DNA sequence: CCTATTTATGCTCAATTTGAGCATTACTGG
DNA sequence: CCAGTAATGCTCAAATTGAGCATAAATAGG
């Protein structure tokens, strides 16, 4: 054991002494940047895709990029022709399966970013399109009733029953209950990734079939639109991160137009969270946090009493973006 | 603009069609894994270092690693000779400055991980050592009074005053106030990275001097121990993440021995948070969350009334680790 | 044995925060 | 004028949080 420890430390120290590594370039990989670019348009959360909605936009990391974030920013801006408001690193994946895809050039690393914008008309390059993210995750939208898509409850039961041992069956059952808010538990909108991964393991999404994972329901349900590689998993990661983020940091603002009504703002938050919020409490929260101020103008035809228009307060926003807000923005 | 957009999309699509990229291997980098390995021993939060405490352990990503996390796990375990409880990806950095350090092999990517363990006696390889993390961030420990290290308040004022324009001076002042809880604001223990970055920009840490950043205080204070490259920034990222995490996920448990008193547990949380907690409220929280159960035994000489020993409840723990806890664990 | 000291543990209380709902106001379209 | 639809103002009870008082059970020293 002791002897085995040496190589790791040794090469770490070589780094530190600025000596180049000779031994066949260990750690050499190719790197690509993948973006989960989100906008909310007309109350629908949308994500930028390419290849008929089957891929997230991605591009190789290039030497001229000053930094990873700058790289992401630069080529996403090239594609969408407008600046990104908010960019945040999501996760880094290394996929051994991609060796083949890269012509034997060693392993590939994908560094994914979450970015927020407003959708601009007619700026997309051919092939790119905005898609409702609930096309990929229909079970995540609880704005119209909390019912899961039809085949899900039975399919989850079948999966739990297919466990090899009683202990595994119990564990599966509990896991499904937590993830999907079954058995009297409440739905937790932040468990997007956990739900996707469970469905993958249970063979209920096409990617699982593609990767040779069995399903215990016939005919096998294939929930939501599939994506190539693990892009849907990355999208799930992005959605989960965004849902968590809006509860403690005022990032919704990046998704809103310069002025908006409080209901507009609420609808956007609801679109992201996939859940409806209590209107009066939402207002109370927003107002008490003093994140917005009246523009003095009123919104046109809302269908009822006209609403005041608001804008964000730049000063407060900066502070909150930096330090976060104490009281959460939404809450089921 | 349109024309420029093509390359990004084109190479993204090439990925998707499984075509190898020819053009001089764009995106080829070397990758290393860096670990922020944390333990809490005798009420002190400690981090594993190498090279006399000036570096975090790091090693190249190697082809035999199944995944990034497995890679981190494997060589950290080799060095410390015991299994890691919890491993979580922290952040991925690409540093152009490292080109030289790698002998012109192109850019280097560092993928950092946060890992939690208990310190085991005598298992370290030569050169590695556990260090109190407050050696690197003395301003982060508020357990004995909330006073900042002596030169800080004046140095922060000097930095704010050195802003080029009135607007910049105001912005700097506000930023310092938010980060360090000045001007009647409360200290936010999660802003570890923001504070380190501010001190770096203000020239108040050695790394800034190394990188040629000016300081507006003489003699220039050099707060805390320095580390090589950007390892101190990575450590700050890890501490910030851990401080945030313990408020909504029961990760402290990875740092505790099999049985412990409630005060032991509280001291560990306090060590991480850098702040003291109200004892009775801490108990109330832990008990109400039902995360622990009595072992039936009592702790020996505590100096006063003997305390009950507790252990974690495996069942609840699993669930919480998966879904998170609603009520936060500590709270200033 | 008695006392001061130290820590564990049980319990109370007021201030906030949260979740939910009622009531009123101000528009639009018949 | 009336019905329908939102916006907006307010109230209320439950739950959570922050702080402190009181008591119990040990140890060390006289």
């Amino acid at each position: 054991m002791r002897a085995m420890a040496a190589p790791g430390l040794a090469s770490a120290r070589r780094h530190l002494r600025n000596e180049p590594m000779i031994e066949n370039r260990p750690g050499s990989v190719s790197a690509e940047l993948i973006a989960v670019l989100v906008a909310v348009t007309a109350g629908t959360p949308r994500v930028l895709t390419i290849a008929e909605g089957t891929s997230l936009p991605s591009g190789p990391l290039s030497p001229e990029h000053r930094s990873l974030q700058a790289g992401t920013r630069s080529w996403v801006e090239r594609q969408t022709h407008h600046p990104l408001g908010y960019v945040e690193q999501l996760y880094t994946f290394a996929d051994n399966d991609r060796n083949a895809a890269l012509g034997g050039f060693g392993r590939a690393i994908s560094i994914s970013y979450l970015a927020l914008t407003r959708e601009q008309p007619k700026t997309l390059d051919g092939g790119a399109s905005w898609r409702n993210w609930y096309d990929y995750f229909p079970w995540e939208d609880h704005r119209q009733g909390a019912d899961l898509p039809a085949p899900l409850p039975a399919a989850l039961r079948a999966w739990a029953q297919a466990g090899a041992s009683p202990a595994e069956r119990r564990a599966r059952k509990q896991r499904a209950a937590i993830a999907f808010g079954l058995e009297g538990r409440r739905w937790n909108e932040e468990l997007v990734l956990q739900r996707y991964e469970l469905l993958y393991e249970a063979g209920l999404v096409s990617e699982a079939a593609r990767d040779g994972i069995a399903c215990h329901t016939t005919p096998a349900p294939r929930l939501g639109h599939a994506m190539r590689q693990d892009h849907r998993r990355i999208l799930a990661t992005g959605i989960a991160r965004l849902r968590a983020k809006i509860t403690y940091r005022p990032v919704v603002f990046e998704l809103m137009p310069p002025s908006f009504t409080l209901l507009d703002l609420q609808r956007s938050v609801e679109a992201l969270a996939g859940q409806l919020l209590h209107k009066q409490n939402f207002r109370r929260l927003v107002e008490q946090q003093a994140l917005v101020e009246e523009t003095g103008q009123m919104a046109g035809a809302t269908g009822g009493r006209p609403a005041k228009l608001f804008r964000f307060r730049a000063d407060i926003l900066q502070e909150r973006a930096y330090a976060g807000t104490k009281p959460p923005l939404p809450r089921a």
Side-chain angles (χ1 to χ4, degrees), chain A:
Chain A
M1 287 290 273
R2 279 261 168 177
M4 291 180 68
L9 270 180
S11 47
R13 293 225 192 76
R14 205 157 39 230
H15 272 263
L16 297 169
R17 287 197 304 263
N18 292 352
E19 296 172 17
M21 292 184 294
I22 307 301
E23 26 172 335
N24 204 21
R25 296 189 65 191
S28 175
V29 299
S30 32
E32 68 170 350
L33 299 168
I34 302 190
V36 176
L37 180 56
V38 175
V40 176
T41 306
T44 306
R46 311 230 289 172
V47 58
L48 185 67
T49 63
I50 60 172
E52 273 82 60
T54 62
S55 291
L56 295 171
S58 66
L61 173 63
S62 113
E64 72 246 24
H65 295 144
R66 279 196 344 277
S67 66
L68 296 175
Q69 178 162 324
T72 306
R73 221 175 246 285
S74 102
W75 61 254
V76 171
E77 287 179 354
R78 275 193 212 155
Q79 288 184 25
T80 63
H81 303 293
H82 63 77
L84 298 183
Y86 180 84
V87 176
E88 160 181 326
Q89 189 176 295
L90 257 187
Y91 207 80
T92 299
F93 305 84
D95 203 337
N96 259 338
D97 299 345
R98 289 186 188 156
N99 284 347
L102 290 164
F105 269 142
R107 117 189 286 152
I109 284 189
S110 304
I111 303 157
S112 58
Y113 277 81
L114 171 65
L116 308 180
T117 23
R118 265 165 286 136
E119 218 172 293
Q120 312 255 315
K122 295 186 173 258
T123 59
L124 294 182
D125 287 307
S129 61
W130 290 100
R131 304 277 171 141
N132 181 342
W133 80 25
Y134 294 119
D135 289 351
Y136 303 98
F137 305 98
W139 58 87
E140 293 292 345
D141 190 358
H142 284 222
R143 287 174 297 174
Q144 331 285 339
D147 301 323
L148 293 174
L152 243 183
L156 289 174
R157 275 193 297 277
W159 171 71
Q161 282 312 310
S165 65
E168 192 185 356
R169 284 194 284 278
R170 220 178 315 115
R172 283 187 176 186
K173 202 171 169 193
Q174 194 201 18
R175 205 178 136 200
I178 295 171
F180 289 93
L182 308 176
E183 297 170 25
R185 287 167 202 266
R186 44 179 284 189
W187 176 262
N188 181 342
E189 75 270 8
E190 297 182 16
L191 301 182
V192 186
L193 182 60
Q194 285 88 335
R195 283 188 281 269
Y196 176 74
E197 291 190 331
L198 193 156
L199 295 180
Y200 179 88
E201 286 176 47
L204 298 172
V205 294
S206 310
E207 287 91 336
R210 175 198 71 191
D211 301 344
I213 289 168
C215 174
H216 302 278
T217 305
T218 39
R222 299 295 178 217
L223 298 162
H225 293 181
M227 296 184 102
R228 302 207 196 161
Q229 294 172 4
D230 49 4
H231 285 200
R232 208 165 158 201
R233 183 187 304 267
I234 296 174
L235 178 53
T237 306
I239 295 174
R241 182 80 129 259
L242 188 50
R243 284 185 171 180
K245 203 99 188 180
I246 51 172
T247 68
Y248 64 92
R249 213 142 282 199
V251 287
V252 219
F253 304 155
E254 308 287 351
L255 301 165
M256 301 297 296
S259 78
F260 49 83
T261 69
L262 292 182
L263 187 58
D264 290 340
L265 184 60
Q266 183 179 349
R267 293 282 174 252
S268 292
V269 172
E270 289 174 341
L272 300 176
Q275 275 194 308
L276 297 180
L277 302 171
H278 182 105
K279 191 178 199 166
Q280 294 93 322
N281 291 349
F282 180 81
R283 289 172 160 270
R284 175 174 64 189
L285 200 56
V286 171
E287 279 168 2
Q288 128 196 338
Q289 295 201 160
L291 296 173
V292 299
E293 61 192 3
E294 299 181 13
T295 64
Q297 300 191 294
M298 305 294 278
T302 55
R305 173 174 169 175
K308 290 178 190 164
L309 284 173
F310 290 82
R311 76 169 78 87
F312 303 116
R313 295 184 49 194
D315 49 339
I316 295 281
L317 225 63
Q318 267 186 324
E319 171 170 349
R320 293 299 165 78
Y322 186 63
T325 64
K326 263 189 303 296
L329 196 55
R331 188 57 83 80

